[in-house]
Amino acid sequence: MDNTGQYNYPEGELIIFARAPVPGQVKSRLAAGIGKQAAAECYRDLLVNTVELAASADIVPHRLEVDADTGHQIFRSLTAQFNISVTQQCDGDLGRKMAHSIGKALEYSEFALIIGSDCPAITTDYIQAACQAMHDGHDVVIGPAEDGGYVLIGSRVNQPAMFANIPWGSGQVLARMYERLDALGLSCKELNMLWDIDRPSDYVRWQTTTARESYLI
C-alpha cells in the first residue's frame, strides 16, 4: 500500500498467503469430505473475507502473496475492490516461502506478519494485538491454532532457521516452532488460540457459528 501514514503501525506489514480457489488445488482435506467444488467455494469466501478484514481497518500495510499466477481473476478482482497489491511467493515448501517472505519484508519494514486465508476467527483486534506485540519489542508473535499449528506468525528478525524442518500439516507444527525459537534464543508473544478450516468438522463449525455474507466478487 502506498499511503503508510494512514495506519496505526506503518512500520510493519501484514502478508496474506493465498492460492487461487481452483477445485482440486485448495483444501484437500476439506475436499475429501465436502467435495472439491464446495471446498474451493469455501476457500474463495474465506479469502475475500480475509482481504476485506485487512482492508477495513487502518492497522498495518498489507498485501497478498500468492503461489499461483498473480493475474488470476480472483486476484484481479480483489485488487480492484480493495486496492490491495498482489505479489508472487517463492518456490519451495511452506517454511521456505514464509522465511523468504518475512526476509524480504524486513528489508523495508520493522516487522512482518503472515496469516493465511482460512481462519474466520481472526478479527481486527487480533491483528492489532499482533502488531502491538511487535511494537513492544518481542522478536516473534504467534497465534496458535487448535489443531497444533498456528493462524498467525510475525517476526522482527530475519531468522530462516525458524522455519526449517518443521513437519507442516501435522499437529506438531506449533510445538516444533516453540522448540526452534527457544534454541535460537528468540522471545515470543503468544496470542489467544483460534481455529481454522481444514476438515469437514471445521466447515460445519463455520457454517453454524459464523454469519455468512454475500460476497461481491
Side-chain angles (χ1 to χ4, degrees):
M1 308 295 287
D2 293 329
N3 186 13
T4 57
Q6 67 181 300
Y7 298 103
N8 296 341
Y9 300 90
E11 73 276 17
E13 184 175 39
L14 172 67
I15 305 159
I16 303 168
F17 269 29
R19 295 181 177 181
V22 178
Q25 297 183 21
V26 294
K27 290 295 166 193
S28 58
R29 285 182 288 174
L30 180 61
I34 69 172
K36 295 177 181 179
Q37 184 64 41
E41 291 173 359
C42 170
Y43 183 83
R44 175 186 174 277
D45 283 358
L46 291 168
L47 172 59
V48 174
N49 188 58
T50 301
V51 173
E52 184 176 25
L53 176 73
S56 68
D58 298 333
I59 299 174
V60 61
H62 47 274
R63 62 182 169 86
L64 273 169
E65 189 166 294
V66 304
D67 74 346
D69 178 11
T70 57
H72 188 280
Q73 175 61 38
I74 185 67
F75 303 131
R76 294 200 304 270
S77 298
L78 289 170
T79 297
Q81 185 172 351
F82 297 107
N83 192 31
I84 190 170
S85 62
V86 181
T87 56
Q88 184 78 51
Q89 293 175 7
C90 72
D91 294 329
D93 68 5
L94 181 59
R96 187 173 188 276
K97 291 176 187 292
M98 288 195 289
H100 180 268
S101 182
I102 286 177
K104 293 296 291 183
L106 291 179
E107 292 178 2
Y108 53 83
S109 300
E110 292 184 15
F111 67 85
L113 306 174
I114 294 177
I115 60 173
S117 52
D118 58 357
C119 179
I122 283 184
T123 63
T124 54
D125 285 345
Y126 201 80
I127 295 172
Q128 175 86 19
C131 290
Q132 187 61 44
M134 294 283 87
H135 182 77
D136 290 343
H138 294 281
D139 295 321
V140 175
V141 59
I142 287 180
E146 291 180 0
D147 63 4
Y150 50 79
V151 301
L152 176 151
I153 189 163
S155 183
R156 294 174 55 88
V157 296
N158 185 9
Q159 276 280 13
M162 285 168 51
F163 301 100
N165 301 315
I166 301 292
W168 305 110
S170 77
Q172 298 301 310
V173 170
L174 187 61
R176 290 287 186 86
M177 179 60 71
Y178 283 141
E179 290 174 359
R180 193 63 50 79
L181 295 179
D182 186 60
L184 292 169
L186 299 177
S187 64
C188 178
K189 170 68 174 180
E190 182 180 279
L191 303 179
N192 293 336
M193 183 174 290
L194 299 182
W195 59 281
D196 52 15
I197 298 180
D198 284 319
R199 301 157 298 184
S201 59
D202 302 322
Y203 180 77
V204 172
R205 183 177 181 180
W206 177 52
Q207 292 281 305
T208 57
T209 63
T210 305
R212 301 301 304 279
E213 298 179 9
S214 296
Y215 296 96
L216 303 180
I217 294 177

